[in-house]
């Protein structure tokens, strides 16, 4: 069989086995288009069903999460943990609380996480979990009761050498604290079973900053490869959560002009660009007070565009840092017509396949999330090492380690994705992530 035929058979089998899971199909499709030809060129990976095995999660846990709201009403949500693959280390990946959470989204995230964690060079397998619970508008006491109930089921399946969850959309330091506290209580143990913990109970310095900062380190490496720098470049960022705000911070520190941020209600455009003072104000608004992005206009001169994405604002660089499929084909064409030349994904799979194809056909330098946003899980991996050895590394040391890891990921993308003068980062990340997991699976025989 030639590659297109193998690919068609593989994808149609995947869709048949996993019906109605469009995000999962999308994530696998993106990997398979590079990995299937790679396997065809490398006999040691042939006839071992490696990609089929990587796309069948080791296990999926689904459970009821009951809790009582402040009015005394009983509420029921659904919780999940998708443990995708632990060939190269214990399962590792975030927990997402958002009303859109379903199995398709968590399977795509757990699958991508497997490749991302492999790219970091650390020993971490891939997992993801979450719930359709919406923390927005809930009191602290309601969030606490939900988190405790969620952990009362999840604790059976996780542990420092088994599965180490972290945060993701809707799960920040407050939620991690509630879940870790309940885990500790239920198991009567204090172990590094979660990352993103508070510093006072075993968390690592710079974990909050790591994904956003890492995205900018990756962007800088991609710019350098084209003999360019961030200085004076005009950057659009979507989202205003953990990833978006720290990406903005690091980009500004390195001389870029960042003029947009967004949330699910729309985007703000500050034509003068954000600075350290404005960002400090935004961090308090979004990460501490859980406010809405349009409140920025009460304090600073800016425009608010309700129910819109920032992609029509002219820019050199776009950093989607909110959620999956937030850049459509039409958005991509607008960005390209406005001469955007770099798209680096802080979020997971924020560009639709049509958008990715448009970027690649127009020679926009496109770095997928599994490479660009790996800094968060990398520092989580460093938090696990610190917990295991019961020591804490200082900030300077951690920044250096994060920087080195992002540059190593860039090197892997270049090694496997170099096409003449340019790097195909999608291909480089897919093959670079695949090899380590595949080699480990081959060593284990058929399991
Ligand atoms: P946060 O919850 O801190 O922030 C998410 C941001 O995205 C908020 O501004 C939110 O707006 C917006 N958003 C979420 N869902 C939607 C939606 N459906 N439509 C429009 N806007 C939306 O999450 P993070 O910053 O942690 O995560 C952002 C992305 O980065 C996700 O894709 C996540 O998987 C990925 N990621 C995160 C890592 C981390 O370390 N945190 C690591 C690697 C990847 P609103 O407040 O209105 O909902």
């Amino acid at each position: 069989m030639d590659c297109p035929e193998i690919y068609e058979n593989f994808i149609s089998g995947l869709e048949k086995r996993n019906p109605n899971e469009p995000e999962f199909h999308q994530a696998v499709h993106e990997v398979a288009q590079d990995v299937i030809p790679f396997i065809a060129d490398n006999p040691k990976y042939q006839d071992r069903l490696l990609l089929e095995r990587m796309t069948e999660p080791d296990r999926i846990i689904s459970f009821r999460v009951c809790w009582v709201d402040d009015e005394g009403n009983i509420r029921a949500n659904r919780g999940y943990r998708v443990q995708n693959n632990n060939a190269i280390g214990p399962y590792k990946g975030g927990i997402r609380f958002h009303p859109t959470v379903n199995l398709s989204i968590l399977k795509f995230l757990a699958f991508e996480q497997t490749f991302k964690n492999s790219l970091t060079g650390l020993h971490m397998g891939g997992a993801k979990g979450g719930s359709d619970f919406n923390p927005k508008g809930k009191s602290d006491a309601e969030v606490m009761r939900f988190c405790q109930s969620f952990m009362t089921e999840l604790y059976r399946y996780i542990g420092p050498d088994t599965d180490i969850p972290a945060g993701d959309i809707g799960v920040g330091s407050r939620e991690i604290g509630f879940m870790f506290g309940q885990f500790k209580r239920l198991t009567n143990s204090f172990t590094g079973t979660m990352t993103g913990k508070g510093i006072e109970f075993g968390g690592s310095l710079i974990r909050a900053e790591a994904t956003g900062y890492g995205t900018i380190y990756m962007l800088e490496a991609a710019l350098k490869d084209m003999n360019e720098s961030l200085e004076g470049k005009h950057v659009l960022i979507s989202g205003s959560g953990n990833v978006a705000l720290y990406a903005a911070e690091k980009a500004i520190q390195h001389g870029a002009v960042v003029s947009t941020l967004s949330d699910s209600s729309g985007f703000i455009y500050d034509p003068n660009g954000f600075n350290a003072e404005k960002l400090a104000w935004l961090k308090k608004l979004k990460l501490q007070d859980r406010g809405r992005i349009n409140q920025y206009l009460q304090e600073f001169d800016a425009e608010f565009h309700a129910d819109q994405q920032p992609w029509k604002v002219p820019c050199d660089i776009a950093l989607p840092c909110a959620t999956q499929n937030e850049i459509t084909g039409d958005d991509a064409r607008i960005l390209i017509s406005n001469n955007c030349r770099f798209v680096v994904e802080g979020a997971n799979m924020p560009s639709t396949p049509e958008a990715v194809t448009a970027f690649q056909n127009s020679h926009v330098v496109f770095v997928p999330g599994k490479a660009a946003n790996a800094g968060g899980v990398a520092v989580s991996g460093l938090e696990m090492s610190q917990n295991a050895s019961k020591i804490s590394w200082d900030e300077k040391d951690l920044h250096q380690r994060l920087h080195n890891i992002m540059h190593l990921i860039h090197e892997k993308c270049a090694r496997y994705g170099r096409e003449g003068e340019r790097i195909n980062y999608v291909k480089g990340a897919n093959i670079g992530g695949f090899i380590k997991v595949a080699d480990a699976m081959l060593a284990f025989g058929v399991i």
Side-chain angles (χ1 to χ4, degrees):
M1 267 197 289
D2 59 5
C3 278
E5 201 181 337
I6 297 171
Y7 175 82
E8 289 307 325
N9 284 345
F10 170 76
I11 290 291
S12 75
L14 178 98
E15 290 181 358
K16 224 178 270 171
R17 287 194 306 281
N18 304 276
N20 308 315
E21 295 183 351
E23 294 85 1
F24 181 52
H25 301 163
Q26 184 182 333
V28 175
H29 160 98
E30 190 199 281
V31 168
Q33 66 192 3
D34 293 317
V35 166
I36 286 176
F38 176 75
I39 292 175
D41 286 344
N42 290 275
K44 87 175 208 192
Y45 299 118
Q46 286 166 13
D47 303 320
R48 308 301 293 263
L49 241 61
L50 286 164
L51 203 51
E52 287 81 352
R53 286 151 68 190
M54 286 182 199
T55 52
E56 193 61 49
D58 290 354
R59 70 191 59 76
I60 297 174
I61 300 138
S62 164
F63 48 95
R64 184 179 64 239
V65 187
C66 284
W67 54 285
V68 178
D69 69 21
D70 287 345
E71 277 73 53
N73 303 307
I74 298 173
R75 308 281 286 262
N77 287 91
R78 186 173 292 171
Y80 305 91
R81 186 74 179 163
V82 178
Q83 295 178 331
N84 193 67
N85 185 301
N86 68 352
I88 61 168
Y91 303 108
K92 177 99 199 82
I95 290 183
R96 176 177 292 193
F97 291 162
H98 195 273
T100 57
V101 163
N102 59 35
L103 206 46
S104 171
I105 289 177
L106 294 181
K107 281 170 73 177
F108 117 62
L109 288 164
F111 176 71
E112 285 237 321
Q113 195 80 45
T114 304
F115 287 74
K116 184 189 306 189
N117 293 1
S118 165
L119 281 170
T120 67
L122 303 176
H123 295 288
M124 301 182 290
K128 202 81 185 189
S131 172
D132 55 359
F133 172 73
N134 187 0
K136 229 180 270 169
K138 305 285 190 304
S139 69
D140 284 351
E142 288 177 319
V143 171
M144 181 185 73
R145 289 195 290 275
F146 176 82
C147 288
Q148 291 178 340
S149 181
F150 184 87
M151 186 50 81
T152 299
E153 183 61 29
L154 185 67
Y155 89 97
R156 304 165 207 280
Y157 310 103
I158 62 176
D161 299 319
T162 312
D163 184 350
I164 304 96
D168 190 70
I169 291 178
V171 177
S173 54
R174 174 182 62 168
E175 290 76 13
I176 295 282
F178 292 149
M179 285 192 274
F180 182 72
Q182 184 72 349
F183 179 84
K184 184 176 73 61
R185 179 189 189 191
L186 289 166
T187 58
N188 190 26
S189 67
F190 194 112
T191 59
T193 297
M194 295 196 81
T195 59
K197 300 184 293 296
I199 299 296
E200 55 289 352
F201 52 93
S204 175
L205 290 167
I206 82 157
R207 175 60 188 88
E209 295 89 336
T211 309
Y213 280 18
T215 301
I216 301 303
Y217 295 150
M218 176 58 75
L219 167 63
E220 283 189 318
L223 282 158
K224 193 165 167 225
D225 193 68
M226 306 288 287
N227 295 318
E228 296 192 43
S229 84
L230 249 182
E231 189 66 41
K233 294 275 192 310
H234 190 181
V235 178
L236 305 183
I237 298 184
S238 64
S240 52
N242 192 50
V243 180
L245 290 169
Y246 287 108
E249 181 169 276
K250 186 53 76 182
I252 292 163
Q253 284 170 7
H254 287 206
V257 180
V258 179
S259 65
T260 66
L261 286 165
S262 70
D263 64 18
S264 51
S265 65
F267 78 92
I268 52 168
Y269 170 54
D270 184 334
N272 298 315
F274 306 112
N275 56 24
E277 180 213 348
K278 292 173 180 178
L279 267 185
W281 189 91
L282 276 161
K283 274 195 230 162
K284 181 169 180 313
L285 174 79
K286 294 299 295 183
L287 302 180
Q288 220 172 298
D289 302 341
R290 296 166 212 283
R292 307 305 294 155
I293 199 74
N294 60 359
Q295 289 171 252
Y296 183 81
L297 272 65
Q298 297 165 6
E299 200 68 22
F300 304 102
D301 284 339
E303 297 168 17
F304 175 64
H305 298 261
D307 301 322
Q308 289 179 49
Q309 298 274 14
W311 313 127
K312 63 186 178 190
V313 177
C315 69
D316 303 302
I317 297 166
L319 306 179
C321 295
T323 193
Q324 64 274 353
N325 291 329
E326 54 169 311
I327 300 188
T328 63
D330 285 343
D331 295 328
R333 283 182 280 277
I334 293 171
L335 283 163
I336 293 162
S337 69
N338 281 335
N339 289 323
C340 170
R341 291 185 307 111
F342 292 81
V343 176
V344 179
E345 296 186 327
N348 284 313
M349 208 170 73
S351 310
T352 62
E354 200 188 341
V356 176
T357 304
F359 292 139
Q360 290 180 324
N361 289 345
S362 306
H363 295 298
V364 170
V365 174
F366 172 78
V367 188
K370 64 171 80 72
N373 69 33
V377 75
V379 172
S380 276
L382 303 180
E383 183 173 333
M384 287 159 62
S385 303
Q386 293 171 85
N387 290 167
S389 51
K390 298 190 167 47
I391 53 162
S392 297
W393 294 328
D394 66 27
E395 204 169 322
K396 193 166 160 233
D397 190 2
L398 285 159
H399 277 298
Q400 194 54 52
R401 286 173 195 259
L402 170 63
H403 196 266
N404 291 348
I405 289 171
M406 295 314 295
H407 278 261
L408 281 174
I409 295 174
H410 187 270
E411 270 175 32
K412 274 185 203 156
C413 291
R415 189 179 327 142
Y416 298 108
R418 175 76 64 190
E419 292 174 348
E421 300 260 286
R422 306 181 67 85
I423 298 171
N424 180 338
Y425 287 90
V426 175
K427 182 176 168 192
N430 286 338
I431 295 173
F434 172 80
I435 288 174
K436 188 172 167 188
V437 180
D439 286 346
M441 288 171 70
L442 290 179
F444 300 145
V446 179
I447 56 172

